[in-house]
Amino acid sequence: MTETSRSIVIIGGGIIGCTTAYYITHHPSYSTNIKVTVVETSAHGAAQGASGKAGGLVARWAYPQPLVDVSFDEHVRLAELHGGADKWGWRYVNCGSWAGWGEETTEESTSEHGDCSEKDSLVGWRKSLEKTLGLEKSKRSRQRKDTSFPSDLNWMHPELTNSYSPMAPYGDTAQVHPYLFTQNMLRLAQDCGASFLPSTRATSITTSQSGHVTGVECIITHTQTPSEGDLQGEVKVRTEEIHLNATHVVLAAGAWAPRLIPALPLTGTRAHSITIHPPIYSLPIAPYVLFTELSLSTSTTRSPVHASPEIYARPGPDGEVYACGPGDDVALPDSVDDVVIEPSACDDLWEEVRSVSRILRAGRVACRQACFLPTVMGRRQGPIVGAADTVALGLVVAVGHTCWGICNAPGTALAITECIMDGEIRCMDLKALRPELFL
């Protein structure tokens, strides 16, 4: 290798990994002497976990602030540079706190998973994802004096509303479609020479005697399906062990990162969500992101059920609406392709959304899904971003973004790129997030 040659292996094909590949391949000193490879365990490609199943919220009031300030501006720049409004749904949205009542629905649920009669028994094992922690405390806890209902919020109902308050000034909250954003970042990186390896599980990071990374050991799964018309054929699966040489390794594997560095204080919180396609007559759906607090009494519950679903209108011709609820603690599966959906969690969400929006009630659930959010354990607030020299020289970590991975991906990717290509992070002060403080 020449002095300017680098082989960079990025472990994780989510939004952090793919956006990092984009920034490296668009760095001023990037050349054909620099090889960038993204490895992803999923057989289905990039953004199969939280990066493809999140709501896509981008907010100036997110946390941690140094990362947010750079990330938001980078989201704006990327959208302007690459046509993000058309390609990944970039737009500014209204963001509000809504409180009110849910009304019992009389029609049969469209869920194929049965009714939600035991809903009140599920409250104990759910936990908040704490997305609003980035807001000033006074804004989170103040009495809601503004009870005016937005005149353009066409998919909620004033008669079910107790209070509504804007959570941030217009222009401080935006959104992307996270799957489309991640796929576009990867495609733009590939256009500049980056490689992507799906069905590739990183099993270990190798180092030299001097303590510098030398590569990544991987297992590739090859699946051969029967040819068309071969009704008797069987799916054949074989695995292959490979070693990817590397001068630098970026660990961006989300909740699965401790499988490679066990000392990382990370855990995975499972989060469920649904997407809803409203009826055609209700389009267009007004661009609002709502953090709700609702009380719902039904004939099958002993007392009112209190719930706090987040409901996001999404850009696009079908007027898709995204809703997510609290998380739960279950064991992390072997890979993102093995994540199990708890049907009752999605049914609860659908019942809650149906109860507060008659327009959405007339629509249908298009997708039920679950993912694992990587959360830093302990007293220090993550994410963990920077060179992990105490583990190995040339190893860079970018994990633990919780529910703000979509928002903070560009800033994280820019910082990681500077760390590798320039030798130091210049775009922001991330000393409080450096890996040695967590390891």
Side-chain angles (χ1 to χ4, degrees), residues 52-311:
K53 298 178 174 63
L57 193 61
V58 178
R60 288 197 183 276
W61 44 267
Y63 59 87
Q65 203 60 51
L67 199 51
V68 170
D69 290 341
V70 173
S71 291
F72 196 97
D73 290 342
E74 284 296 299
H75 267 293
V76 174
R77 185 183 70 85
L78 291 170
E80 293 175 348
L81 182 62
H82 297 295
D86 294 326
K87 293 179 180 177
W88 57 80
W90 164 265
R91 68 176 180 179
Y92 292 96
V93 292
N94 298 287
C95 182
S97 175
W98 180 95
W101 300 272
E103 54 187 3
E104 185 173 8
T105 58
T106 55
E107 60 266 42
E108 290 292 324
S109 168
T110 60
S111 166
E112 68 267 33
H113 299 301
D115 63 42
C116 303
S117 59
E118 297 302 320
K119 175 177 171 153
D120 54 339
S121 68
L122 300 175
V123 175
W125 58 273
R126 306 279 170 81
K127 67 179 184 180
S128 170
L129 300 179
E130 301 181 334
K131 190 170 291 183
T132 57
L133 286 180
L135 289 168
E136 297 175 17
K137 184 176 181 181
S138 60
K139 291 182 180 179
R140 284 187 277 126
S141 60
R142 69 185 179 188
Q143 291 292 324
R144 296 185 182 87
K145 297 180 180 180
D146 180 10
T147 58
S148 59
F149 188 86
S151 59
D152 62 337
L153 182 49
N154 62 345
W155 44 277
M156 296 289 280
H157 304 284
E159 62 269 28
L160 298 178
T161 301
N162 178 41
S163 63
Y164 174 88
S165 294
M167 292 175 61
Y170 187 80
D172 281 2
T173 311
Q175 70 181 164
V176 299
H177 191 296
Y179 178 82
L180 296 178
F181 179 88
T182 305
Q183 291 287 344
N184 274 275
M185 289 296 103
L186 176 60
R187 180 184 59 79
L188 290 166
Q190 289 176 304
D191 288 346
C192 292
S195 300
F196 180 72
L197 300 179
S199 301
T200 304
R201 182 197 302 271
T203 57
S204 66
I205 299 168
T206 59
T207 58
S208 66
Q209 290 185 343
S210 61
H212 200 288
V213 298
T214 58
V216 179
E217 298 284 353
C218 300
I219 297 177
I220 301 179
T221 301
H222 301 278
T223 303
Q224 181 179 349
T225 57
S227 59
E228 187 176 352
D230 183 4
L231 301 179
Q232 306 260 334
E234 296 181 355
V235 175
K236 297 179 181 179
V237 178
R238 65 179 180 87
T239 59
E240 174 189 3
E241 295 182 3
I242 64 169
H243 181 270
L244 298 175
N245 294 325
T247 58
H248 297 80
V249 174
V250 178
L251 181 57
W256 283 267
R259 302 275 172 94
L260 292 165
I261 304 179
L264 282 170
L266 286 179
T267 187
T269 298
R270 187 176 63 171
H272 286 83
S273 57
I274 60 175
T275 61
I276 304 157
H277 287 177
I280 295 177
Y281 66 76
S282 68
L283 303 180
I285 296 294
Y288 275 81
V289 167
L290 299 182
F291 289 79
T292 73
E293 297 177 14
L294 65 92
S295 297
L296 173 63
S297 297
T298 74
S299 59
T300 60
T301 56
R302 294 182 292 274
S303 59
V305 173
H306 301 283
S308 302
E310 300 171 22
I311 310 175

Side-chain angles (χ1 to χ4, degrees), residues 353-425:
V353 172
R354 283 159 47 88
S355 75
V356 297
S357 174
R358 295 161 191 162
I359 285 179
L360 297 183
R361 187 188 311 166
R364 65 179 180 86
V365 176
C367 182
R368 294 172 171 84
Q369 56 194 12
C371 62
F372 279 81
L373 302 178
T375 304
V376 175
M377 298 182 292
R379 291 180 295 177
R380 286 191 173 275
Q381 185 181 79
I384 306 171
V385 180
D389 291 344
T390 58
V391 178
L393 299 175
L395 174 63
V396 185
V397 173
V399 296
H401 290 74
T402 62
C403 53
W404 288 117
I406 309 303
C407 177
N408 289 330
T412 300
L414 176 58
I416 294 306
T417 297
E418 290 182 343
C419 184
I420 293 173
M421 303 295 282
D422 302 325
E424 61 178 339
I425 297 174

